[in-house]
Amino acid sequence: MSVILVFLLVVFGFSLWWLSQQRLLSKPWTEQGLAVDPSHRGEAAMPTAKIALGIFLAVVGALFALFASAYFMRMEYSDWQAPPVPSVIWANTAILVAASIALEIAARTARDGRIDISRVALAIAGAATLVFLAGQLVAWQQLSLAGHYLEVNPANGFFYLLTGMHGLHIIGGLIALGFTLVALSAQAPISGQLQLRVELCAMYWHFLLFVWLGLLVLLAGWAGDFIAICKQVLT
Amino acid sequence: MTVAIVLVLVALGSIVFHVLSPWWWTPIASNWGYIDQTLIVTFWITGVVFTAVVVFMAYCVFRFRHREGAKAAYEPESRKLELWLTGITAVGVAAMLAPGLIVWSQFVTVPDEATEIEVVAQQWQWNYRLPGEDGILGKSSNKLVSYDNPLGVDPDDVNGQDDVIVEADALHLPIDRPVKVLLRSIDVLHDFYVPEFRAKMDMVPGMVTHFWFTPTRTGEFEVLCAELCGVGHGYMRGAVFVDSEQDYQAWLASQQTFAEISGPVKIGAAGGGAAR
Amino acid sequence: MVDVTPHDESGVPPAEVPELELYHPKSWWTTYVFSQDAKTIAIQYSGTAIAIGFVALVLSWLMRLQLGFPGTFDFITPEAYYQFVTMHGMIMVIYLLTALFLGGFGNYLIPLMVGARDMVFPYINMLSYWIYLLAVLVLVVSFFAPGGPTGAGWTLYPPQAILSGTPGGQGAGIILMLVSLILFIIGFTMGGLNYVVTVIQGRTRGMTLMRLPLTVWGIFTATVMALLAFPALFVACVMMLFDRLLGTSFFMPALVDAGEQLSYGGGSPILFQHLFWFFGHPEVYIVALPAFGIVSDLISTHARKNIFGYRMMVWAIIIIGALSFVVWAHHMYVSGMHPWFGFFFATTTLIIAIPTAIKVYNWVLTLWRGDIHLRVPMLFALAFIVTFVNGGLTGLFLGNVVVDVPLSDTMFVVAHFHMVMGVAPILVIFGAIYHWYPKITGRMFHEGMAQFHFWVTFLGAYAIFFPMHYVGLVGVPRRYPEIGDTAFVPDSVQDLNAFITMAALIVGFAQIVFLFNIFWSLRHGREAGGNPWRATSLEWQTPTTPPPHGNWGDHVPVVYRWAYDYSVPGASQDFIAQNDPGTGIKAPRPA
Ligand code: HEM
Ligand SMILES: [Cu+2]
C-alpha cells in the first residue's frame, strides 16, 4: 500500500497548506463582524470549476495510486510474469504527449482571445486522443496475438485493466472536449466561461498524461527493476 | 429527572450484568493467560471510564435541567482542563497498549523447541499432518490435491513420506509441549479456532500462516471455524485432544503415514518415485 | 469581543448572489422528480435510504429469529442466513448510513448552513441521486436473481465470495453486488465533489471556516475521506469482477473447489483484504464524523450553551479523519499478514482513541452548567453518547492486537460494531430528523410518539447489543446460523439469544411508530414557525419555512459571528443568530 500512502501524504500536504490559511487557531467566539474569508483575499480567487476539477483529479489519482499499490503487492508473488510491452505503446505515448501540447496551446490562445487557433488546436488534440485510443486497442491486439491473454497471468490482467481504466477516463474527457469544441465553434467572441472550459480540458489531459506515464513506468517493468535495485542496495 | 435516573440505571445495570453474568470465557487450556490478564486490565479501565462518563452525564442532566429563568454559563473552552483530560486519556491508553504489545511480541515469537504440526482446512472439515519420525513436514501444494492426496503432500519429497496424515478426524497433542501450528487451506479462508487456547489465526489458500501455543490442560476441546467459508461455516467442527505423553504416543502409533496411505512406495526410496 | 469587519471590503465576496444563476424548474417533473434543488435531492436520498434500510431491518429480524430460536423456521436455511447477513450488513453500512448522512443530511444542510443558494453543481448533484437509486435497484434485483443474492459476508472476501460453496458465488448474486457497489461509488463521487466544493467555495459573506457549525465540519471531512477511500473499494470490486468473469487471478490462489482443481493460481486473498479495509476503516469514520458534528449541534442548541472547546472539536475531526487512513489493518490482525504489522496498527488504533475521547469529554462538558432542555433531539443526543462511549471502549479491546486474538470473529465484534457504528449513528439520525423536521416540513412532530420511539429504541438497542458482548466472550463465533450443541457454550446462552431476539423485534416495530409520526405530522403536526429551537445557525434564519428554492429569497444572509452564541452574557436573548449584526454586546474573554 506504499504508493497510495505516498499519494495520501501529498494530498494531506495540500490540505494542510489550505487549512493553514484558514485561521484554524483563532478563537471565533472573540470575534464579531464581517470577517473576511482568507481564501477570498488576494487577486483572482480560483474559479469554482477549477477547484472541483482539482479535487476530482485527486480522486482519480487515488484510484490509480491504489491500482499501482495492488500491482506492486501482487507482483511479489512467484507466478508473476510481466508481458512484453507492445511496441505501439511508445508511439501512443508520443501521441498523447502531442495531444497534451495541443491542448496547452488551445488553452493559451483561448486566453488571448485567438479563438481560431484555439479551435484548431482543440480539434487536433481531440483527434490525437482518438488516435491514442485506437493505438491502445492495437496494443491489446498485439498482446493477445502473441498469446498474452488476460487470464494467463495477473501481470497481463493488470496490463489490460490499467490501460482500460485509463482509456475510460480518456473517453470521459473526450466527451467533455467534444462539447467544448462545439461551443467553441459556435461562439465568435470567446466568453470567460468558455476560456475556462478549454483550460479545464487542458488540465485534465495533462493529468491523464501524467497518470499514463506513471502506468508506463509500472507496465514496462521499470518500477519493478527500481525496487529490486533498492532492495539490493539495502541488503 | 427520569432521564437522569435511567442513565444511572444503564450504567449500574451494565455493571451488575457484568458482575452477575454467568457468561464468561471458557477456562483456559494454554499458556496464553497473559491475554486474559490484558483483557481484564482493559475491562477495568474501560469500565471505569464508561461509568464515569455516564454518571457525569446523568448528574448534569439532573442538576442543569431547564428551569424557568435559568441561564447557561458562558464558557467557550478551558485549555487547562482539556490538556489534563488529554493527558489522562493518553496514560489510560498507554496502560492498555503497553501490556498488549508486550504479550503480542511473545505471541509472534515462536520458541525454538516448538514442534511443528500442520492443520489443513477445507470446506468443511479439518485435516492434520504431523511431521513423523524425521521431525520435518514434507513439501505440499494445493496443485497436488486430489482424491487420493487430499492434503496435497508432495510425493517426491522424502520428508513427506513419514508424515502422519489425519483426515477429518481428531487431532491429539501432548501436554506441556509448545507447538507451532502451521495453517493451510486448500480452498477458501478458514480460521482454526479453539476457544480454550485463546490463540487463533486465519488460514489462507496459497499461504502458510502460523501461531504457537503450549497446551496446559488435558481434555477434549472443540475446534470451530472462525472465518466465513461458505454455507458450511457454522458446521465446520472438529476436536482436539490434549493428552498425557503416554496417551499421545499410543494414539500416534495408531496413525497412518502418507506413505502408508498412498500405497506401495518405499520409504526413503530415491526421489520418492512414482507415487502416482 | 473584537470587531473583525475589514476596512477594505475588496476581498469580501458580494453580498448578493443573484438568484439568476440558479436553475429554475419549469415543470412538475423537474420540480419534484428530476429536481436540481439540493433540498429535494436530500429528501429523495433520505427516502430511498430509509426504504432500503427497512429491508435491512427486516433481514435483521429474520437473522435474529434464527439465532434466538434455531430450527424453528424452516425457510431460514444456512444459505438464506448468509444471504441475510450479507445484504443486511452491506445495506446498513453503505446504502443506508453513508447515503443518508452524506446524500441526505449533506445535501439538505450544507447549502443552508453555509448560506448558499444551492450546491455549486446542481445538475451533477441530481445525477448523483439517480445513480445512487440505480445502485439500490441493482442491489434489489439481486434478491430475485437466480441463486439469490450473495452470501459472502459484507466483507466479500475472496476466494470464497466467488466460489460455489457460497450462495450467489457462482450465480449472479456476487456480480450484481459488485456492480451495485461500483455504481454507488460513481454516484457518490459526483455528490461528494459537490459537498466539498460547496463548503470551500459556496460560503456566504462572513462565513469563515471557523464559524461553520460542526455539522458542516463533520460532513465536509467525512466527504473528503469518502472521496479518497471509496476508490479502494472500487479497485477491489473491479478486480474481483475480473476474477469472477474473465478468469484473472488477482485475488485467487491455486485452489480446489468442490473436489476440482480450478484454473486460478498465485493470487492473494490478503491483497483484497488490504484494499477492502483501506476503504472499510475510513468508512467507519465516514458515518461517525457526520454523527459527531450533528450531535455537537444538537447538544449545544438544546443545552443553550456553546459547544465546549469548539477549536479542539474541529482539530479532532481533522486529526481523526487523517489518522483513520493508517489504521486499516486492525481488521486483519488474525488474517495471516505479517505479524509485525500488529505493533504498528495497534499503536495507531489506540492513538486515534485520544482525539475521539476528547470529543466525548467536550460533549459532556457542554452539558455542564448548561440550561438543558430535554426535548426529543436532545434525548437522542444523550443516548448517542452512552452508546458511542460504550462501543468506542470495546473498540479498545479489539484494537489492542493481542486482546483481539481471542475476540476476533466472535459475537463480541458484532456487538461492538453495532454499538459504535450501528446504534450510535442511527440514534443521531433520529435525533437529527426530529431536530430538523420543523424546518423541513414547517410542522412539529408528535411529541408523545417521538418520546415513545426514543425510549424503546434506546433502551431496546442497548438491551440487544450490550448482552451480545458476553455471547462473544463465551466464544460464540459470528456468522453462525446457530451455535448448536457445543461443549463450551452453556445452554443459558440460548436463553440470552432468545432475549436478544425479543428485544430486536420490539425495537424493530418501534420504527413503525417513527415512520407513522413522520407522515402523520406532515398533516397534523402543529405549525412550527421558522426557528422553534431558537437556534443560531443559518438554516433556522430562512425567510420562509420550509425554505424555498434558492433558500434565501432576495438576500443571502451575511454572517457576523460563529455558530454558537448561546447564553452570551449581557445579550437580551439566550441566543444570537449568526446573521445578527448584534452590536453592543460584550462577551467576556475566557481567562
Ligand atoms: C435493530 C437493529 C439491528 C439488528 C437486530 C441487527 C442484527 C444483526 C445480526 C443478527 C447480524 C449477524 C450476526 C452474525 O451472525 O454474524 C448482523 C450483522 C451485521 N450488522 Fe446488524 N443489526 C442491526 C442494525 C444494524 C445497523 C444499524 C448496522 C449499521 C452499521 C448494522 C451493520 C451490520 C453489519 C456490518 C453486520 C455484519 C455483516 C457480516 O457479518 O457480513 N446492523 N446484524
Ligand atoms: Cu471455515
Side-chain angles (χ1 to χ4, degrees):
Chain A
M1 305 297 278
S2 43
V3 182
I4 181 66
L5 287 178
V6 170
F7 179 83
L8 276 186
L9 268 184
V10 175
V11 172
F12 287 167
F14 265 106
S15 317
L16 263 185
W17 165 79
W18 179 71
L19 283 172
S20 71
Q21 302 177 328
Q22 305 293 331
R23 303 181 58 241
L24 287 198
L25 299 180
S26 65
K27 300 182 174 175
W29 54 92
T30 60
E31 297 173 356
Q32 176 199 334
L34 193 66
V36 178
D37 194 308
S39 62
H40 293 311
R41 238 190 227 298
E43 330 73 80
M46 239 217 244
T48 304
K50 216 166 183 174
I51 294 182
L53 183 62
I55 294 173
F56 178 65
L57 292 183
V59 177
V60 176
L63 182 73
F64 282 100
L66 280 153
F67 271 122
S69 289
Y71 188 90
F72 280 122
M73 280 157 69
R74 185 64 183 82
M75 202 168 81
E76 302 283 306
Y77 294 85
S78 55
D79 64 328
W80 184 266
Q81 214 170 31
V85 179
S87 49
V88 66
I89 284 286
W90 306 109
N92 292 349
T93 308
I95 293 169
L96 195 59
V97 172
S100 224
I101 294 174
L103 264 167
E104 184 61 32
I105 295 173
R108 286 182 187 214
T109 47
R111 218 173 301 151
D112 299 344
R114 281 147 61 198
I115 188 165
D116 40 345
I117 306 183
S118 183
R119 201 179 293 155
V120 173
L122 201 66
I124 292 178
T129 312
L130 281 174
V131 174
F132 169 82
L133 284 177
Q136 295 290 76
L137 287 178
V138 172
W140 282 8
Q141 199 194 15
Q142 282 185 359
L143 265 189
S144 47
L145 280 183
H148 299 287
Y149 299 114
L150 177 80
E151 71 281 4
V152 173
N153 193 280
N156 303 355
F158 268 115
F159 188 94
Y160 292 99
L161 177 58
L162 292 178
T163 48
M165 271 290 151
H166 182 259
L168 281 180
H169 282 85
I170 293 260
I171 291 174
L174 271 177
I175 294 172
L177 188 140
F179 279 113
T180 313
L181 194 59
V182 171
L184 206 57
S185 311
Q187 237 175 46
I190 188 165
S191 68
Q193 182 72 25
L194 204 49
Q195 281 175 11
L196 180 64
R197 272 170 74 180
V198 180
E199 222 169 292
L200 294 181
C201 283
M203 192 169 147
Y204 187 71
W205 251 256
H206 297 339
F207 185 79
L208 282 188
L209 175 64
F210 171 75
V211 167
W212 172 245
L213 294 179
L215 292 182
L216 205 58
V217 170
L218 274 188
L219 298 174
W222 298 329
D225 294 348
F226 179 71
I227 289 181
I229 293 171
C230 287
K231 274 192 181 148
Q232 253 171 5
V233 171
L234 282 177
T235 51
Chain B
M1 192 66 198
T2 337
V3 180
I5 293 174
V6 171
L7 286 177
V8 172
L9 284 181
V10 165
L12 283 186
S14 304
I15 298 174
V16 170
F17 184 94
H18 180 86
V19 173
L20 297 183
S21 155
W23 303 292
W24 197 241
W25 54 53
T26 51
I28 193 166
S30 79
N31 59 320
W32 292 122
Y34 284 135
I35 293 184
D36 287 2
Q37 283 161 22
T38 317
L39 227 162
I40 298 221
V41 171
T42 315
F43 253 124
W44 272 103
I45 294 178
T46 53
V48 169
V49 174
F50 178 69
T51 317
V53 170
V54 176
V55 170
F56 181 82
M57 251 170 68
Y59 176 75
C60 288
V61 169
F62 166 70
R63 175 74 180 68
F64 305 112
R65 67 188 185 280
H66 173 66
R67 273 164 291 203
E68 214 39 61
K71 189 161 185 183
Y74 185 79
E75 193 186 19
E77 69 177 17
S78 157
R79 245 328 158 61
K80 220 168 107 194
L81 183 60
E82 280 172 286
L83 283 179
W84 267 105
L85 286 172
T86 311
I88 294 172
T89 312
V91 171
V93 165
M96 289 179 280
L97 182 61
L101 291 187
I102 293 169
V103 181
W104 179 247
S105 74
Q106 296 175 359
F107 189 83
V108 299
T109 322
V110 185
D112 293 336
E113 71 272 20
T115 30
E116 293 192 343
I117 64 157
E118 188 181 71
V119 184
V120 185
Q122 77 185 75
Q123 282 173 337
W124 290 276
Q125 71 181 34
W126 301 101
N127 309 307
Y128 306 95
R129 184 158 69 114
L130 310 178
E133 266 152 31
D134 60 1
I136 302 172
L137 287 164
K139 291 200 192 78
S140 62
S141 159
N142 279 357
K143 291 228 167 77
L144 299 171
V145 173
S146 66
Y147 181 71
D148 319 271
N149 186 0
L151 303 195
V153 181
D154 185 350
D156 295 337
D157 186 357
V158 273
N159 294 327
Q161 296 299 331
D162 63 346
D163 288 357
V164 173
I165 309 279
V166 182
E167 198 191 339
D169 201 353
L171 171 71
H172 288 241
L173 291 172
I175 191 170
D176 288 335
R177 272 208 266 150
V179 279
K180 177 179 183 183
V181 187
L182 300 174
L183 303 161
R184 282 202 301 129
S185 162
I186 65 170
D187 39 41
V188 301
L189 302 178
H190 299 273
D191 189 307
F192 184 72
Y193 173 45
V194 180
E196 288 87 349
F197 294 161
R198 300 297 186 263
K200 68 156 97 69
M201 190 58 70
D202 279 9
M203 22 239 324
V204 184
M207 276 173 77
V208 182
T209 54
H210 72 267
F211 68 87
W212 78 275
F213 73 103
T214 310
T216 55
R217 185 155 67 81
T218 57
E220 179 186 349
F221 304 102
E222 186 151 353
V223 183
L224 296 88
C225 182
E227 184 65 75
L228 180 53
C229 58
V231 280
H233 173 54
Y235 309 95
M236 182 169 164
R237 309 294 177 94
V240 181
F241 290 84
V242 177
D243 294 341
S244 64
E245 192 63 36
Q246 268 173 336
D247 293 351
Y248 177 70
Q249 293 304 342
W251 170 79
L252 196 60
S254 70
Q255 297 303 308
Q256 284 193 306
T257 63
F258 178 63
E260 284 162 6
I261 295 178
S262 47
V265 179
K266 282 201 202 88
I267 297 173
R276 64 181 49 83
Chain C
M1 196 171 269
V2 188
D3 191 336
V4 290
T5 313
H7 302 296
D8 163 24
E9 295 204 358
S10 62
V12 187
E16 294 296 304
V17 179
E19 240 207 292
L20 285 177
E21 287 185 13
L22 218 59
Y23 171 84
H24 281 285
K26 295 192 184 61
S27 67
W28 184 86
W29 280 97
T30 46
T31 313
Y32 294 106
V33 182
F34 296 103
S35 168
Q36 301 187 18
D37 184 339
K39 294 185 296 298
T40 312
I41 296 173
I43 308 274
Q44 291 172 327
Y45 249 116
S46 310
T48 312
I50 292 175
I52 191 76
F54 260 85
V55 173
L57 181 69
V58 172
L59 292 176
S60 81
W61 293 345
L62 295 174
M63 287 186 293
R64 273 321 318 180
L65 282 175
Q66 164 66 20
L67 290 176
F69 310 99
T72 318
F73 303 92
D74 287 338
F75 70 99
I76 310 182
T77 55
E79 281 89 350
Y81 184 82
Y82 287 123
Q83 291 169 327
F84 297 164
V85 171
T86 307
M87 299 317 264
H88 162 81
M90 197 64 102
I91 291 175
M92 285 290 190
V93 174
I94 309 253
Y95 300 86
L96 172 67
L97 288 182
T98 309
L100 191 51
F101 269 125
L102 303 181
F105 288 108
N107 263 320
Y108 202 92
L109 294 176
I110 289 177
L112 280 167
M113 283 186 155
V114 304
R117 290 204 182 278
D118 205 331
M119 288 287 180
V120 284
F121 307 114
Y123 185 74
I124 296 182
N125 207 19
M126 173 187 80
L127 279 186
S128 162
Y129 168 70
W130 289 99
I131 296 180
Y132 164 66
L133 183 65
L134 185 63
V136 171
L137 291 178
V138 171
L139 190 79
V140 170
V141 164
S142 87
F143 278 99
F144 305 102
T150 172
W154 88 283
T155 46
L156 304 180
Y157 281 177
Q160 173 255 126
I162 58 175
L163 293 183
S164 59
T166 300
Q170 283 293 306
I174 183 71
I175 299 172
L176 291 172
M177 179 88 251
L178 295 171
V179 170
S180 171
L181 285 173
I182 288 173
L183 285 171
F184 180 91
I185 295 167
I186 294 172
F188 169 76
T189 305
M190 295 178 159
L193 277 176
N194 253 310
Y195 317 150
V196 171
V197 179
T198 304
V199 173
I200 294 179
Q201 284 296 87
R203 280 169 290 135
T204 183
R205 206 170 144 96
M207 181 63 98
T208 60
L209 244 58
M210 290 306 269
R211 284 177 171 180
L212 287 176
L214 285 167
T215 299
V216 177
W217 268 108
I219 296 178
F220 174 68
T221 315
T223 310
V224 173
M225 290 169 58
L227 285 174
L228 293 171
F230 269 117
L233 183 63
F234 188 89
V235 168
C237 287
V238 170
M239 286 168 66
M240 181 139 53
L241 264 185
F242 268 56
D243 278 1
R244 168 71 176 74
L245 292 176
L246 302 173
T248 53
S249 300
F250 293 127
F251 303 133
M252 301 296 283
L255 56 84
V256 182
D257 184 30
E260 225 179 295
Q261 290 273 358
L262 298 188
S263 60
Y264 294 116
S268 161
I270 302 247
L271 170 57
F272 177 89
Q273 298 181 18
H274 278 296
L275 290 171
F276 183 87
W277 289 113
F278 189 83
F279 142 79
H281 191 80
E283 171 63 29
V284 175
Y285 285 94
I286 290 166
V287 302
L289 289 185
F292 289 178
I294 289 172
V295 100
S296 309
D297 286 354
L298 298 195
I299 292 179
S300 171
T301 306
H302 295 282
R304 317 306 300 158
K305 194 163 168 259
N306 59 44
I307 191 78
F308 186 80
Y310 174 81
R311 300 192 298 164
M312 271 289 206
M313 294 300 252
V314 172
W315 301 339
I317 286 181
I318 296 170
I319 292 171
I320 292 172
L323 275 183
S324 66
F325 278 97
V326 288
V327 298
W328 78 87
H330 67 209
H331 297 273
M332 298 167 60
Y333 288 145
V334 296
S335 70
M337 66 171 178
H338 197 288
W340 290 108
F341 285 140
F343 292 105
F344 175 77
F345 285 103
T347 309
T348 52
T349 302
L350 267 69
I351 287 176
I352 219 175
I354 298 174
T356 313
I358 291 173
K359 299 202 71 92
V360 173
Y361 300 146
N362 284 354
W363 290 322
V364 293
L365 286 171
T366 303
L367 298 176
W368 180 252
R369 296 171 63 200
D371 173 22
I372 300 173
H373 293 254
L374 290 171
R375 305 169 186 128
V376 174
M378 183 61 150
L379 294 179
F380 275 103
L382 297 176
F384 161 82
I385 299 179
V386 174
T387 51
F388 181 74
V389 170
N390 190 294
L393 289 169
T394 50
L396 294 174
F397 290 67
L398 301 171
N400 199 353
V401 52
V402 75
V403 185
D404 178 60
V405 170
L407 295 178
S408 66
D409 272 302
T410 64
M411 290 308 278
F412 189 93
V413 175
V414 175
H416 153 72
F417 70 69
H418 275 94
M419 205 67 123
V420 79
M421 78 172 298
V423 177
I426 291 271
L427 289 174
V428 174
I429 285 176
F430 287 136
I433 290 177
Y434 286 120
H435 184 75
W436 278 292
Y437 188 83
K439 176 54 60 180
I440 298 170
T441 65
R443 289 178 186 272
M444 263 345 223
F445 49 84
H446 185 276
E447 177 79 16
M449 277 192 265
Q451 288 266 356
F452 173 81
H453 174 227
F454 166 73
W455 287 110
V456 177
T457 306
F458 168 44
L459 295 178
Y462 198 80
I464 299 171
F465 294 112
F466 185 75
M468 197 187 280
H469 290 92
Y470 292 80
V471 179
L473 214 51
V474 169
V476 178
R478 72 189 275 202
R479 297 170 168 171
Y480 268 36
E482 58 186 319
I483 183 63
D485 218 358
T486 305
F488 67 88
V489 181
D491 291 342
S492 55
V493 166
Q494 198 49 52
D495 303 334
L496 187 56
N497 262 331
F499 166 78
I500 293 175
T501 298
M502 297 312 296
L505 292 178
I506 294 171
V507 170
F509 281 108
Q511 308 317 310
I512 294 170
V513 177
F514 164 73
L515 271 195
F516 180 77
N517 193 356
I518 292 296
F519 287 111
W520 186 85
S521 304
L522 275 183
R523 278 278 162 108
H524 305 282
R526 71 182 156 76
E527 296 274 347
N531 190 0
W533 312 124
R534 300 155 57 77
T536 56
S537 45
L538 287 184
E539 79 274 22
W540 298 105
Q541 326 302 336
T542 53
T544 41
T545 298
H549 184 59
N551 291 349
W552 307 106
D554 293 340
H555 302 278
V556 291
V558 177
V559 170
Y560 295 93
R561 60 189 67 250
W562 73 330
Y564 296 97
D565 263 344
Y566 289 104
S567 303
V568 179
S572 53
Q573 282 186 311
D574 69 350
F575 77 105
I576 312 174
Q578 275 192 284
N579 59 349
D580 184 341
T583 46
I585 299 158
K586 288 213 167 45
R589 278 160 177 274

